[in-house]
């Protein structure tokens, strides 16, 4: 009996559904749709969904996400940064000298650290240290000795050098034509956080005076160069170095323009007339080149080569074909101070130098500072 009732109900429902007009499913009018929905609700208890236009939840639009705005270096900060590093902040420590004063600036005195970010004023060349103490050098020496601790033994030094080989680690600081820059100090301290020593690869113009590079590396970081092979150095952080007490180093946000310095090549060489100067320049460009410098090479042996050449000839020509103009000009300026000699011309990408009338061979000086243990061939 129950099965028969279920079949009758299903027949009635199917017949009622079949009697529904098809127009309600395909674009029926509003009155017909309402009547159809009412019949569906009566038969199946069906409630149609609300139209999208009447849904209050959909009317509420989500607020748009704020547009991404990168941090700007022109925005001021609430508190200026103070750094206790006891030296003047320069863009490059090896390629600039405090003894040479510029004759002009190429841009206004905009601080490369950003406006109102450092409690030091930018002079256009450097940011001088605010505090000046007459015993500053003594304080720095004691601080460095405290960090370095007892000297390394030969076995310890060899172990550090072995750890910094290319097949052991990829940690390396690349020192290029700009020399030891200010931001490079932060990179060195980041490497010292995970390793006792870091490899420093030197190429280009700074390698002409490796003694200067080693001095500034040790002076600005309080570290110690324990090995040198051509342009590759190993910089040790010290026995008592604590990464948690690393100094605060404000980063330069952009590279400042180099100031205007006096011309390296003068119209006439001191002690010569105009005609003699022209004849010497023509003769210098005709002499055989002493050597040809490769781009971004190692120039550590150039100064001894020039000094030896001046023992037999008065003019030396160095072929700098392919080098950038600012690079071989820096090479000429370094040779003038290190050999010493007189610059003749930079024409045709050549560096021509003259030993002068009263030339005396320079005395051999200590090639490296006393704190550096000189080990070649490692």
């Amino acid at each position: 009996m129950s099965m028969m009732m279920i079949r009758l109900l299903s027949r009635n429902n199917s017949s009622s559904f079949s009697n529904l007009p098809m127009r309600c499913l395909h674009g029926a009018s509003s009155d017909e749709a309402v009547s159809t929905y009412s019949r569906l609700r009566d038969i199946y208890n069906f409630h149609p969904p609300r139209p999208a236009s009447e849904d209050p939840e959909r009317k509420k639009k989500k607020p748009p996400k704020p547009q991404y705005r990168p941090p700007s270096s022109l925005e001021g900060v609430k508190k200026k940064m103070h750094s206790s590093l006891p030296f003047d902040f320069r863009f490059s420590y090896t390629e600039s000298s405090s003894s040479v004063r510029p004759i002009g600036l190429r841009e206004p005195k905009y601080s490369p650290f950003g406006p109102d970010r450092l409690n030091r004023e930018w002079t256009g060349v450097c940011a001088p240290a605010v505090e000046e103490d007459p015993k500053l050098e003594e304080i720095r020496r004691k601080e460095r000795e405290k960090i370095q601790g007892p000297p390394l033994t030969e076995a310890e030094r060899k172990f550090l050098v072995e750890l910094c080989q290319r097949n052991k680690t990829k940690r390396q600081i690349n020192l290029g034509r700009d020399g030891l820059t200010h931001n490079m100090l932060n990179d060195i301290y980041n490497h010292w956080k995970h390793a006792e020593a870091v490899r420093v690869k030197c190429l280009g113009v700074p390698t002409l005076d490796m003694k200067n590079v080693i001095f500034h590396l040790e002076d600005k970081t309080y570290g110690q160069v324990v090995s040198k092979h051509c342009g590759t150095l190993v910089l040790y952080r010290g026995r008592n170095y604590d990464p948690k007490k690393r100094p605060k180093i404000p980063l330069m946000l952009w590279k400042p323009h180099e100031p205007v310095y006096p011309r390296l090549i003068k119209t006439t060489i001191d002690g010569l007339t105009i005609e003699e100067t022209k004849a010497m320049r023509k003769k210098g460009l005709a002499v055989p080149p002493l050597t040809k410098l490769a781009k971004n090479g190692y120039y550590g042996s150039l100064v001894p080569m020039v000094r030896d050449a001046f023992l037999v000839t008065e003019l030396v020509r160095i072929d700098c074909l392919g080098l950038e103009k600012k690079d071989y000009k820096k090479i000429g300026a370094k040779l003038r101070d290190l050999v010493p000699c007189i610059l003749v011309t930079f024409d045709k990408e050549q560096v021509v130098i003259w030993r002068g009338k009263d030339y005396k061979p320079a005395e051999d000086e200590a090639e490296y500072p006393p704190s550096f243990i000189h080990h070649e061939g490692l």
Side-chain angles (χ1 to χ4, degrees), residues 40-52:
L40 288 172
R41 184 170 59 251
D42 295 340
I43 298 172
Y44 298 102
N45 196 18
F46 174 74
H47 297 279
R50 291 183 179 183

Side-chain angles (χ1 to χ4, degrees), residues 24 38 47 49-51 73 119 128 170 178-180 199 235 247 252 254 281 295 304 308 320 327 330 347 365 376:
C24 66
S38 62
H47 297 279
R50 291 183 179 183
S73 61
N119 65 337
K170 293 183 179 180
D178 291 330
L180 178 61
R199 183 174 65 246
L235 185 62
M252 289 190 179
W254 62 82
R281 287 173 180 164
K295 188 176 182 181
D308 293 342
C320 300
D327 286 351
K330 289 181 180 179
D347 292 343
E365 301 177 356
E376 290 283 354

